[in-house]
């Protein structure tokens, strides 16, 4: 029996369409993120939103096997050209797009034709992880940091073509002040709360931080924010790149994730009796993530090019370590300013990037944290120096192949993801290794530069 109340969805879709039409919307883009981290889309006229809500929009199973380069690989659960899935918009996520007049956007979930959730739907997996945590009485507040490089549209290979000046320098902000202002105001008009925006270290690089939200919504915001950056950049004669490594050498774009564990209105990352005022519960949750960082890289750093970014002494977090405000540790405790820690304290995962599917990222982090909670895990001693200076430092996977092996060996994560998705993810990763793993770094960077 279908899990969808189609009559109710049709009615709600019609009601939402009336509001969108009043706002001048003519078309609605429905998006999902595939296993290679690419946001794929289909669109419907606003007059057909009721039908999309109730009956979905067709999409092939083959999207599960797409590489970022649009090649389609095989795998154990591949159905080739056979079968159909249905994209159903989340009507609560509908947003008129301020940068694209006449358009709205909605994240979509994938179901089969009978109305059963698709076992490889990343957004549904993130919701399942959130619900499992809620069943224990906890919730997580999550936010993604977005880093990107802009170039002049007619000089897409030159990261200095759109900005000049020192890293973090006001000169860079001043040179692109109208662009950055337009970006923040556009995001605000779409309901995205920007907390800060600034020039970053690499040439042409900027970073934007948004307010934390529940995990699924945080992933939605990450998708919407990135696509808004892309659109506003094009309107200002710029091109945006979110790749982990724009060119060999230098510093790459990260996709850091911040998360804090809450019990109702209490932040469990503060006010406790463990180190740095962590509660035992928050420590166990963080320890579950810490011990699984090698496997988690297959989700959060899922591309061959990701491993060009993961270099020592680049604040990318390549050694297995955690610490208080340690920017070289892949798991960093951020306490915030005194007087604000009961709201601000959180953990940051620094070794991830924006080739990752954000829904898979939040699902993986939550499932890892749940495993830590259930086992009562504890963290080792924190590291208060660059871990790369320690002779005993343990390196995280140096290649995507090593991360794939770590994921396959992690029973908790593979079980939580389910056999179909866990297997297909690694089939896709191995497909990327086969297609791109032998490329020289400069060629690899060129291929991947504008795909995400």
């Amino acid at each position: 029996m279908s899990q969808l109340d189609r009559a109710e969805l049709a009615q709600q879709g019609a009601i939402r369409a009336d509001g969108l039409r009043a706002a001048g919307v003519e078309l609605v883009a429905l998006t999902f993120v595939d296993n290679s981290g690419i946001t794929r889309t289909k669109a419907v006229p606003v007059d057909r939103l009721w039908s999309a809500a109730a009956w979905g929009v067709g999409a092939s199973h083959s999207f599960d096997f797409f590489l970022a380069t649009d090649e389609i690989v095989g795998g154990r659960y591949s159905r080739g050209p056979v079968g159909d899935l249905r994209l159903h918009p989340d009507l609560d996520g509908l947003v008129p797009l301020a940068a694209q007049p006449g358009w709205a956007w909605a994240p979509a979930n994938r179901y089969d034709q009978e109305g059963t959730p698709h076992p490889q739907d990343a957004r549904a997996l993130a919701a399942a992880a959130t619900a499992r945590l809620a069943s224990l009485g906890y919730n997580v507040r999550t936010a993604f940091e977005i880093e990107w490089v802009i170039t002049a549209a007619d000089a897409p290979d030159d990261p200095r073509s759109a900005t000049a000046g020192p890293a973090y320098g006001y000169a860079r902000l001043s040179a692109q002040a109208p662009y950055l202002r337009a970006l923040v105001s556009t995001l605000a008009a779409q309901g995205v709360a920007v907390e800060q925006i600034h020039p970053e270290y690499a040439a042409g690089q900027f970073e934007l931080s948004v307010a934390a939200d529940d995990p699924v919504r945080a992933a939605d915001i990450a998708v919407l924010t990135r696509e808004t950056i892309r659109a506003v950049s094009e309107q200002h004669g710029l091109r945006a790149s979110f790749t982990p490594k724009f060119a060999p050498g230098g510093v790459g774009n990260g996709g850091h994730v911040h998360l804090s564990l809450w019990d109702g209105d209490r932040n469990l990352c503060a006010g406790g009796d463990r180190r740095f005022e962590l509660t035992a519960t928050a420590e166990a949750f963080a320890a579950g993530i810490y011990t699984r960082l090698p496997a988690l890289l297959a989700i959060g750093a899922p591309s061959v090019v990701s491993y060009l970014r993961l270099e020592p002494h680049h604040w990318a977090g390549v050694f297995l370590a955690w610490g208080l405000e340690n920017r070289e540790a892949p798991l960093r405790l951020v306490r915030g300013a005194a007087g604000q820690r009961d709201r601000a304290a959180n953990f940051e995962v620094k070794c991830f990037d924006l080739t990752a599917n954000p829904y898979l990222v939040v699902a993986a982090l939550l499932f890892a944290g749940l495993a830590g909670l259930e086992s009562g895990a504890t963290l080792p001693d924190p590291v208060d120096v660059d871990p790369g200076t320690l002779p005993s430092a343990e390196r995280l996977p140096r290649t995507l192949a090593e991360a794939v092996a770590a994921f396959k060996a992690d029973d908790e994560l593979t079980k939580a993801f389910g056999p179909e998705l866990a297997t297909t993810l690694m089939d896709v990763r191995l497909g990327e290794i086969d297609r791109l793993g032998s490329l020289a770094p400069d060629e690899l960077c060129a291929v991947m530069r504008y795909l995400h």
Side-chain angles (χ1 to χ4, degrees):
M1 177 178 289
S2 172
Q3 298 188 26
L4 300 169
D5 185 337
R6 299 188 190 274
E8 175 65 18
L9 287 169
Q11 181 181 17
Q12 291 300 316
I15 292 171
R16 300 298 177 93
D18 287 341
L20 291 175
R21 273 192 293 268
V25 171
E26 299 175 15
L27 291 154
V28 182
L30 316 180
T31 64
F32 66 97
V33 184
D34 70 15
N35 289 329
S36 291
I38 299 294
T39 300
R40 309 286 180 178
T41 187
K42 291 203 171 185
V44 297
V46 70
D47 291 343
R48 297 293 296 171
L49 182 60
W50 69 269
S51 178
W55 303 103
V57 176
S60 171
H61 286 83
S62 65
F63 281 112
D64 293 327
F65 295 88
F66 267 54
L67 301 184
T69 56
D70 294 339
E71 295 177 79
I72 304 173
V73 299
R76 183 186 306 175
Y77 292 95
S78 172
R79 300 178 63 182
V82 178
D84 189 53
L85 296 171
R86 311 299 296 178
L87 304 180
H88 288 259
D90 181 344
L91 297 175
D92 291 335
L94 275 167
V95 177
L97 294 175
Q100 294 161 299
W103 283 85
W105 167 85
N109 289 325
R110 294 185 294 163
Y111 293 80
D112 67 18
Q113 291 175 315
E114 305 305 316
T116 301
H118 179 43
Q120 296 204 43
D121 187 71
R123 194 168 186 267
L125 185 72
T130 303
R132 184 172 155 192
L133 192 64
S135 72
L136 300 178
Y138 303 116
N139 61 289
V140 163
R141 297 186 61 77
T142 313
F144 287 79
E145 290 181 7
I146 309 294
E147 293 183 347
W148 74 103
V149 168
I150 57 169
T151 67
D154 58 358
D157 299 329
D158 181 3
R160 296 188 181 277
S161 61
T163 60
Y168 306 101
Y170 194 90
R172 291 192 190 179
L173 185 147
S174 180
Q176 290 297 340
Y179 161 66
L180 297 172
R181 179 184 177 189
L183 176 56
V184 172
S185 63
T186 300
L187 287 168
Q190 296 172 171
V192 177
V194 175
E195 296 205 326
Q196 67 175 22
I197 187 168
H198 60 86
E200 253 288 348
Y201 188 89
Q205 188 180 42
F206 291 87
E207 179 183 306
L208 183 149
S209 299
V210 300
D213 214 310
D214 78 80
V216 177
R217 176 62 180 159
D220 289 341
I221 290 170
V223 173
L224 179 59
T225 299
R226 184 160 57 183
E227 297 309 321
T228 301
I229 291 170
R230 202 188 316 272
V232 173
S233 297
E234 290 174 357
Q235 291 170 0
H236 284 75
L238 304 169
R239 198 166 185 188
S241 172
F242 303 92
T243 186
K245 204 70 165 179
F246 190 90
V251 176
N253 291 315
H256 304 172
V257 184
H258 291 260
L259 67 167
S260 53
L261 182 67
W262 293 68
D263 181 353
D265 293 330
R266 183 191 175 197
N267 183 359
L268 299 178
C269 294
D273 58 5
R274 303 290 290 169
R275 284 167 296 200
F276 312 127
E277 297 186 10
L278 288 169
T279 63
T281 305
E283 179 178 348
F285 186 84
I289 294 171
Y290 172 86
T291 58
R292 288 171 176 79
L293 282 171
L296 288 169
L297 281 181
I299 305 300
S303 301
V304 173
V305 73
S306 298
Y307 295 82
L308 297 183
R309 172 182 168 266
L310 294 176
E311 300 177 281
H313 319 305
H314 281 62
W315 292 12
V318 303
F319 293 98
L320 186 58
W322 80 283
L324 175 64
E325 301 293 2
N326 189 337
R327 288 177 169 81
E328 274 290 343
L331 186 64
R332 170 192 175 213
L333 176 61
V334 182
R335 294 184 71 191
Q340 193 184 34
R341 288 170 184 158
D342 60 334
R343 299 183 302 279
N346 69 90
F347 280 96
E348 178 186 23
V349 181
K350 295 182 61 65
C351 50
F352 292 176
D353 64 59
L354 296 176
T355 62
N357 178 324
Y359 302 103
L360 294 179
V361 165
V362 296
L365 290 172
L366 265 57
F367 284 129
L370 279 160
L373 285 175
E374 291 165 358
S375 67
T378 58
L379 288 165
D381 290 337
V383 174
D384 61 3
V385 297
D386 180 345
T389 65
L390 302 175
S392 60
E394 178 183 347
R395 184 75 184 264
L396 292 177
R398 297 170 184 262
T399 65
L400 181 55
E402 291 179 7
V404 166
F407 181 87
K408 287 182 173 180
D410 193 294
D411 292 338
E412 291 287 346
L413 290 178
T414 55
K415 180 181 177 181
F417 273 55
E420 185 169 333
L421 179 54
T423 300
T424 299
L425 278 170
M426 296 308 106
D427 286 340
V428 169
R429 303 290 180 265
L430 293 173
E432 178 165 325
I433 293 168
D434 179 63
R435 304 303 198 276
L436 303 177
S438 62
L439 296 182
D442 58 344
E443 186 178 0
L444 177 62
C445 289
V447 168
M448 298 296 292
R449 189 166 292 148
Y450 290 104
L451 294 184
H452 292 85

